[in-house]
Amino acid sequence: MTTSSTTGAGNHDAAAAAIRAGDEAAFALLVERHRNSLRTHCHRMLGSFTDAEDAPQETWLRAWRGRHTLHGEHGVRPWPYRIATRACLDALTGPGPPCPP
C-alpha cells in the first residue's frame, strides 16, 4: 500500500511527472504541503509579513506556469523554493529605473 507520506525516489518522479502533465490535484497537494514553510521563507527574505504577503502567491503562479521545468530527480521540494527565492529577489530589486524616453 502506498501512502502520500512515502518519500521514495519513484514517488518524487511520479509527483513531478503529474505536475508537469498539469495534474491540478498533485499541484494542490504540493501547495498544501509547503504553504506555511514557503511563506516563512519569503518573510525571512523580505523582512516583513506585509512585504511577504504577495510573494507566495506569485511563487505558486510562476510554478504552475513553469511546471514544465520541474524535474523530480532531487524531489519536488526544492523547486518551489527556487521559484520563491527568485520572486523575493525580484520584489526586493523592484521594476528598476524607468527607461529613458
Side-chain angles (χ1 to χ4, degrees), residues 6 39 41 76:
T6 305
R39 185 182 304 123
H41 173 74
V76 295

Side-chain angles (χ1 to χ4, degrees), residues 1 7-8 12 28 33 39 41 55 62 71 75-76 82-83 99-100:
M1 183 166 106
T7 58
H12 293 304
R33 284 184 177 170
R39 185 182 304 123
H41 173 74
R62 290 182 185 190
H71 301 286
V76 295
R82 285 193 305 270
I83 296 168
C99 295

Side-chain angles (χ1 to χ4, degrees), residues 4-100:
S4 61
S5 63
T6 305
T7 58
N11 290 330
H12 293 304
D13 293 341
I19 291 168
R20 275 194 312 273
D23 183 332
E24 292 179 15
F27 187 77
L29 182 61
L30 177 71
V31 171
E32 188 58 35
R33 284 184 177 170
H34 300 290
R35 178 186 317 268
N36 292 332
S37 59
L38 193 81
R39 185 182 304 123
T40 301
H41 173 74
C42 292
H43 170 252
R44 287 179 179 155
M45 287 197 67
L46 297 172
S48 77
F49 287 113
T50 303
D51 293 339
E53 286 180 3
D54 293 333
Q57 292 178 359
E58 178 65 22
T59 297
W60 295 121
L61 180 61
R62 290 182 185 190
W64 179 253
R65 289 179 177 165
R67 63 190 178 274
H68 64 279
T69 66
L70 172 60
H71 301 286
E73 64 270 4
H74 300 293
V76 295
R77 188 176 193 279
W79 179 66
Y81 288 88
R82 285 193 305 270
I83 296 168
T85 298
R86 184 75 253 162
C88 290
L89 291 173
D90 289 348
L92 288 170
T93 58
C99 295

